[in-house]
Amino acid sequence: MPSFTAASGIDPITETGPLSLCSREPHVPADRLVAEMVPPPRFDSVRFATYLPDPDQPSQREAVGVLDGFAGGLGGAHAVSARRSFFGFGKARTPKVPAGPRGVYLDGGYGVGKTHLLASLWHATPAEPALKAFGTFVELTNLVGALGFQQTVRTLSGHRLLCIDEFELDDPGDTVLVSTLLGKLVDAGVALAATSNTLPGKLGEGRFAAADFLREIQGLSAHFRALRIDGEDYRHRGLPKAPEPYSDDQVTKAAYATEGASLDDFPHLLDHLARVHPSRYGALTDGLRAVCLTDVRPVPDQSTALRLVVLADRLYDREVPVLASGLPFDQLFSEEMLKGGYRKKYFRAISRLTALARDAQGLVGD
């Protein structure tokens, strides 16, 4: 468990009334980072059989078949040869020197079930949990920061599979770091799987001078066979419109009436997120059964917006309902942001927060 310090001097675990995200500053030990590289609670029980392909989108059903076959090729002593045969490169005489893509890359819009499929692949791979790892791109880069590059390579090289969710390259440093890390892991025989809203050859486009790092980006792309998954956001497919924001009084009363709920002013929470590393946002939400926010308003800048995206992802992974007053979640990001290089991240955050707002409707009494 992480340790917490309280900016107010009050222990947030024992304080009477709602908890507060703003009073939490979690410190996560490195061994927890490694131990928790498994699918998050929302995806703990998913399997290929529980994925419901849209009948109008054949690419979804095709992806299930490809990934199921990929998982089957990762078992036993001949996993490396099976992987290469699966991708059409024949048998491997020297498994430490791969000749082609050693992983699958799920590309598609938000809400088409990519994380469901990635977690299903993790569960279907015939290996002990200690021999396969699952984490977001942010969690992977933070692991390198916590352990150091060489120790991260040693830690993950013994794995049969590394799954990377929400694969994004937001700066040149991450590009070089991840390109080098994945190259070494592939050389060690580790299979890769990733999800993103951006094809591997387009990573970093619109966010930094991708052309200056073309070699690294192309090197990343070479590790994967891309699978396009088409479709609409399943979180809103056939569902009623998201609830309108509630009043401050309704949110506050619900927070006091719900055991394990937090209550925070949205602008203050955004300020607090700047003081906590995004890799700790999962720990920030430990033990919460609901998040209550008052005075939701548009985020003021891109850095703040990207931190909010990470928090939304961690809340969604952990199935924590979000009850809010102020503006609707689809008004969080400016029109300029929704047209910029991070637009897919922002749309994902809107989609996930809207789903969590729908989950929170039962917290408000009649």
Side-chain angles (χ1 to χ4, degrees), residues 316-336:
Y316 182 78
D317 288 344
R318 288 156 175 78
E319 301 181 290
V320 181
V322 178
L323 189 71
S325 67
L327 291 178
F329 287 131
D330 61 4
Q331 297 181 31
L332 283 172
F333 308 107
S334 68
E335 184 176 351
E336 181 180 3

Side-chain angles (χ1 to χ4, degrees), residues 117-162:
L117 291 172
L118 187 70
S120 298
L121 172 63
W122 189 92
H123 289 298
T125 296
E128 294 295 322
L131 295 179
K132 47 190 179 179
F134 185 108
T136 65
F137 183 83
V138 169
E139 290 167 336
L140 179 62
T141 55
N142 183 64
L143 184 66
V144 177
L147 299 182
F149 183 82
Q150 294 301 332
Q151 183 58 39
T152 301
V153 172
R154 287 192 290 270
T155 298
L156 297 179
S157 288
H159 285 60
R160 192 161 293 169
L161 172 69
L162 171 62

Side-chain angles (χ1 to χ4, degrees), residues 146-179:
L147 299 182
F149 183 82
Q150 294 301 332
Q151 183 58 39
T152 301
V153 172
R154 287 192 290 270
T155 298
L156 297 179
S157 288
H159 285 60
R160 192 161 293 169
L161 172 69
L162 171 62
C163 296
I164 310 169
D165 200 19
E166 302 156 16
F167 201 117
E168 294 287 354
L169 298 180
D170 295 341
D171 62 61
D174 282 349
T175 303
V176 176
L177 174 69
V178 175
S179 177

Side-chain angles (χ1 to χ4, degrees), residues 37 182 341 357:
M37 293 194 74
L182 296 188

Side-chain angles (χ1 to χ4, degrees), residues 241 244-245 266 296-299 308 326-335 337-338 350 354:
K241 183 180 178 181
E244 291 297 318
F266 186 69
V296 170
R297 60 180 69 177
V299 294
L308 181 60
L327 291 178
F329 287 131
D330 61 4
Q331 297 181 31
L332 283 172
F333 308 107
S334 68
E335 184 176 351
M337 290 179 182
L338 295 178
I350 292 170
T354 298

Side-chain angles (χ1 to χ4, degrees), residues 137 140 149 162 164 167 177-188 190 192 220 223-224:
F137 183 83
L140 179 62
F149 183 82
L162 171 62
I164 310 169
F167 201 117
L177 174 69
V178 175
S179 177
T180 306
L181 174 64
L182 296 188
K184 289 187 176 296
L185 294 180
V186 165
D187 288 345
V190 181
L192 307 174
L220 284 172
H223 295 315
F224 298 100

